[in-house]
Structures are given as C-alpha cells and as structure tokens.
Amino acid sequence: MIIDKVNIDLKGTLLSGSCFRAIEEDDGSFTNILSDRVVNLKQDGNKLIIKSSNMNNIENIIKEYLDLGTDYESINKELIKMNPNLKSMIDKCNGYKILNQNSFEMFISYIISQNNNVKRISKTIESISYDYGEKILFDGKEYYLFPKYEVLKNLKEEDFRKYGVGFRDKYLVDFLNKYKTLNDIDKLSTEDALKKLMTVKGIGLKVASCILLFGYKRMDVFPIDTWVKHYISSNYNIKNDIKEIEKFSKKSFGKYSGLVIQYMFHVERNIKD
DNA sequence: TGTCAGGTCCTCA
DNA sequence: TGAGGACCTGAC
C-alpha cells in the first residue's frame, strides 16, 4: 500500500520523542505499534510505503496517525508571518508532524516520563505491553499492543514497581482509578481540560500538556520541558523560568504554541547546528 | 561509581 | 505563595 504526494519527515516525526515505540529497521523503515495493529512505514521521497499486520482501513488510519490531513504549510506560513524570526527554525522542521496517538497510552507514557529518560521510558512501556498487551505476529516477529484500560485497571502499585516505574507507581494507580471520570476531556476547553487532568496525582502542567497535544490534538498547549526551556532561554531574551516562558509562548505563538514548542524540542534535541 | 533524566509533590519559611 | 529538596531506577 502506498500513499503518494506526502510532505513528511518520517524519521524526524517518529523519533521526535513523542512516540516511545517506533523501531528503526536496517532498511530505513520504521516499525511501530498502533492501538490495534503493527505497521511498517518506509519513506521514499514523497511516497509512504505501508505494510501492516492488519490492512483494513489502513490508509485512513495512517493519515490520521501521521496527521496528514492538517495543512502544516499554511500553519507554518501563518506562524512566520506572526513571528518572522521563527523562519530559520521552522525551515529545519519541514515535514515534521504532531502524531495523533492513543490517549490512554499517552496518559501512562507521560506519567512514566517524569524525571525519567527516553530509553528507560520505552523499556518500561515495552515490558508492561509484553505482560499485559495482545500479541501480534507481523513479518515473522512477535509484537505486543499497548494494554487496554480494562486489563491495567486491576494492577496495584507493587505490580507497577516490577517494571521499574519507581515512585510513579502510585500516580499510575491514581490515574487508573480516575480514568473513567476523564472521559469528557474532549469536550472541555483546553484550560479546563488541563485543570481536570492535573487533578490526577503525578500529572502536572507539562505532562497534562503532552497528553492534550499528542492524545487529543490540542495545539494550544505549552509542554515546556528542560530542552525547550534551554532553547527559549538561549535563543530569546527570556528569563529561564517556566511561568515567564509560558507567558512568552502564549503571546507569541497563540493557538499553535504546542506545535512551535515541539519544533523547538525537535531542533534542540535532534538537530544540532 | 556517581550523575542525571522530556517533572511533580511536599514541606517549611 | 514560592523556593528547594526528595523521589525510583537504570543508562552512561
């Protein structure tokens, strides 16, 4: 299956750090585990070559996952018009997309992410999926889907500890206890959604913003982490203070702040000058 | 062997 | 109300 005429930086997008389960293969393709299937994506110029354990409705699923329906070129133009000094950074992010990922998986992944490193986050998610997720055979190998809420809801703190989540064990249990009360997040304003998410123990502003950006397609959030803090404080004349940086990005980048911040993260972490 | 990691919570002025 | 320390654990 091929999707044609696509402007995407597949590698940059999948290895951007928002997706903890993409595997880079020797042939340059990427194998990734979505909520109900395993996919292998290969970029050849402006073509995407797709293989999957389940080809049913695959074109729509990949277009949604890679956010191919959003007109990033227009958004980028608008951003540059508002902030001409963003041009050189945005030019470095041509084809970079915000992935639309499973929201339940984003909750668990980003709760685990606090004060943690990407390697260990990925390892923990893989181990939990191995024990509680559905096994999928694809291309002669075994993969494990991210477990469903109905399976994880019965786990206790000590169960999570086995996977090296450390002090985050109680946060995961608190989230699972409250998950059903969070089913209206989609309908709330971004501000109210953030407030509601932060009623869960272990979810602060950064984690809540990531969940909304990657799990609920909200671009008007401020997932400011150490990388972005570093980028903004070294490229702009802004105090290295989370409140100051949030005020600045809200004023400068408006409804696309989440996207700009991801661009900054991408440039700061993955593209060294 | 020690430090640090894509934060958050809690305590104490 | 805000500053600063504590927190699991494994990769480097």
Side-chain angles (χ1 to χ4, degrees), chain A residues 89 92-93 225-235 261-273:
Chain A
M89 183 195 71
K92 288 178 192 161
C93 298
D225 55 36
T226 48
W227 295 91
V228 175
K229 251 165 108 174
H230 183 250
Y231 183 92
I232 292 184
S233 59
S234 55
N235 285 276
I261 285 168
Q262 270 313 107
Y263 283 162
M264 288 176 176
F265 178 80
H266 178 57
V267 169
E268 181 69 19
R269 188 170 178 268
N270 302 319
I271 304 174
K272 300 272 184 253
D273 285 324

Side-chain angles (χ1 to χ4, degrees), chain A residues 9 16 33 51-52 57 83 89 95 101-102 119 127 145 182 206 220 224 273:
Chain A
D9 172 6
S16 65
I33 299 154
K51 294 184 221 163
S52 176
N57 197 28
N83 305 272
M89 183 195 71
Q101 302 185 72
N102 176 272
K119 263 219 164 84
S127 308
L145 300 182
L182 301 170
K206 159 65 171 55
D220 56 336
I224 296 161
D273 285 324

Side-chain angles (χ1 to χ4, degrees), chain A residues 103-111 175 182 197 203 211 216:
Chain A
S103 56
F104 179 67
E105 185 173 339
M106 291 299 97
F107 272 103
I108 302 267
S109 301
Y110 279 98
I111 288 172
F175 158 66
L182 301 170
L197 292 179
I203 298 186
I211 291 167
Y216 292 92

Side-chain angles (χ1 to χ4, degrees), chain A residues 121-134:
Chain A
I121 300 163
S122 296
K123 196 175 165 220
T124 301
I125 292 168
E126 284 309 317
S127 308
I128 293 175
S129 301
Y130 180 80
D131 279 356
Y132 297 101
E134 184 190 335

